[in-house]
Structures are given as C-alpha cells and as structure tokens.
C-alpha cells in the first residue's frame, strides 16, 4: 500500500493536509498546508466560576483558570493509518475542587480533520468548563440548527439598568459552529447538540460542562 504520509510524535501529528503541534500546555497549533494559514492555541481549556443555575450562566467573582499541573504526553497510535497522542493533566477549578482532563488528539492518514476526545473527571462545583478555538477571521459565526444554519454576530453585553435579565453571550448549535473570511476559516464539528460563544475577538468557545448546585436561583443578573 506504500507510505501513507502520516507522521506521529509525542508533540506532532502531520499528513499531506495539516500539521498539528501539541504544546506542553496541551493546546494545539494547526497549520493548513493548502492555504498556509496557521491557528494557534486551539483547544485551550478555560474554567470559570459559575454562580448561576441550570438555566443561566452567571459569572462568579473569582478569576478564570487556564492552566494546570504537570502534563503527560503519550503516543497511543503511531500509524500508518491513524495517529493518536494522549495528553493528561489535573487543574484546579475556578469554583470549588479540581478537574482531571485527558485529551486524545487524533489525525487520520488522508484527512484534514483533527479529532479530539476529552475525558473529564469533574471533582468541582460552581464552575463552567470551556474549550477555546481562536479563528481570527470573520465577523459572524455560522452554526448548525435543527432545519438549516444560523448566522450570528457576537452578542454585545447589555447592562442597562432595569432589564429583567441580561442577554446571554452563548448560543445553541447542532453538528458544527464555524467562522471564516477568504482563505482563512475553522469549523468545530460535534456529533451532538452543544453550546458555543462567538466573541468579538474572533474565537469560538465551546461549553464542555457546567456544574451548579441549584435548578433555579432568584435575583440572577
């Protein structure tokens, strides 16, 4: 069958379509060989304090957490058809407790799709865990919906006095959320319904979990 062209190392996966570098911090750098575009710090884990309920996220007072303890990197599959690297670490939560995270980054021999599997051992409360994917292109996002697609601009925070409730910054998506301009673009694909935020800085943030202790709280902003 010949050489598939798939290259696998603890810190690098590559084929004829893309090059993926796995940093010591667990984030990814993606280079598109067809366009020359580069995307840095993909998949950064961000944990935020959450004082809300199961209906609405409400930002707590403590700082967000973006880093954790020592990380391990292990090659799980070395080719020729599938390359897979496991990265694992434990990080303190922005809420109460800590979180164990295992990420398996997978690249197939002749596919431009980078697959991520996350196993989260949540031992924390009152927090929201998200993944950040900076796109750096486009003014609106495009997300899958039940009967088509939805185009959305970033939500402008509205803190006008007298509002019953502030508008939320997140939105629902089915199958994908994406953004692009010209030759530069990125899509986050998912087999399930999920929540995401499209920011004015050109980043897609995907909610992995929220852990809150109340079904419904009164007097949330």
């Amino acid at each position: 069958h010949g050489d598939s062209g798939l290259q696998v190392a603890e810190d690098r996966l590559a084929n004829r379509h893309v090059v993926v570098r796995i940093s010591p911090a667990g984030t990814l750098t993606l280079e598109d060989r067809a366009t020359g575009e580069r995307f840095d710090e993909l998949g950064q884990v961000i944990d935020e304090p959450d004082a809300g309920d199961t209906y609405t996220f409400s930002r707590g007072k403590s700082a967000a957490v973006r880093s954790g303890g020592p990380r391990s990197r292990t090659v799980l599959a070395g080719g020729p058809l599938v390359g897979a690297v496991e990265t694992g670490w434990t990080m303190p939560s922005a809420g109460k407790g800590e979180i164990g995270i295992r990420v398996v980054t997978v690249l197939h021999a002749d596919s431009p799709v980078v697959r991520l599997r996350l196993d989260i051992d949540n031992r924390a409360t009152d927090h929201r865990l998200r993944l950040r994917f900076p796109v750096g292109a486009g003014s609106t996002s495009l997300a899958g919906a039940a009967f088509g697609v939805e185009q959305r601009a970033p939500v402008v925070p509205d803190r006008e006095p007298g509002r019953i409730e502030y508008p939320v910054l997140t939105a629902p998506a089915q199958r994908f959320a994406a953004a692009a301009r010209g030759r530069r673009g990125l899509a986050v694909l998912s087999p399930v319904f999920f929540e995401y935020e499209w920011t004015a800085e050109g980043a897609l943030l995907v909610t992995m979990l929220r852990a809150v202790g109340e079904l419904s709280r009164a007097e949330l902003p």
Side-chain angles (χ1 to χ4, degrees):
H1 297 288
D3 184 5
S4 68
L6 180 65
Q7 302 169 20
V8 182
E10 284 187 0
D11 60 350
R12 186 178 184 273
L13 297 168
N15 61 19
R16 70 185 182 93
H17 299 286
V18 295
V19 178
V20 183
R21 292 182 173 82
I22 306 169
S23 78
T27 59
L28 307 178
T29 296
L30 174 65
E31 295 180 17
D32 185 336
R33 286 181 155 169
T35 65
E37 295 289 345
R38 171 173 166 153
F39 302 87
D40 294 312
E41 295 189 341
L42 298 177
Q44 181 186 42
V45 176
I46 301 175
D47 195 53
E48 302 159 285
D50 191 344
D53 56 25
T54 53
Y55 297 97
T56 307
F57 170 79
S58 184
R59 185 69 158 76
K61 295 181 179 180
S62 61
V65 177
R66 298 173 183 252
S67 60
R71 294 162 175 82
S72 63
R73 285 187 300 191
T74 306
V75 174
L76 300 183
L81 297 180
V82 177
V85 177
E86 176 192 74
T87 308
W89 70 94
T90 299
M91 61 187 286
S93 171
K96 307 178 186 72
E98 64 178 17
I99 311 159
I101 298 177
R102 173 181 179 264
V103 182
V104 179
T105 306
V106 180
L107 185 64
H108 291 187
D110 196 29
S111 172
V113 177
V114 181
R115 293 166 169 84
L116 298 178
R117 171 182 172 143
L118 281 92
D119 294 312
I120 301 171
D121 181 11
N122 181 52
R123 303 185 293 272
T125 59
D126 300 326
H127 71 116
R128 175 175 70 175
L129 190 72
R130 301 200 290 177
L131 293 185
R132 184 174 185 268
F133 298 92
V135 181
S139 57
T140 60
S141 66
L142 194 68
F147 301 104
V149 296
E150 290 288 339
Q151 192 169 7
R152 298 185 177 102
V155 177
V156 178
D158 185 350
R159 299 292 184 263
E160 181 182 350
R163 290 192 66 98
I164 295 175
E165 185 175 358
Y166 295 151
V168 296
L169 306 182
T170 55
Q174 293 187 15
R175 305 179 303 281
F176 75 93
R181 177 180 288 132
R183 289 158 54 92
R184 183 176 179 85
L186 191 73
V188 177
L189 311 177
S190 173
V192 296
F193 178 87
F194 64 99
E195 175 189 85
Y196 80 102
E197 178 183 347
W198 170 242
T199 73
E201 293 75 32
L204 294 166
L205 290 98
V206 177
T207 302
M208 302 306 297
L209 66 85
R210 292 181 61 230
V212 293
E214 295 287 343
L215 175 65
S216 179
R217 297 182 191 269
E219 298 180 354
L220 289 178

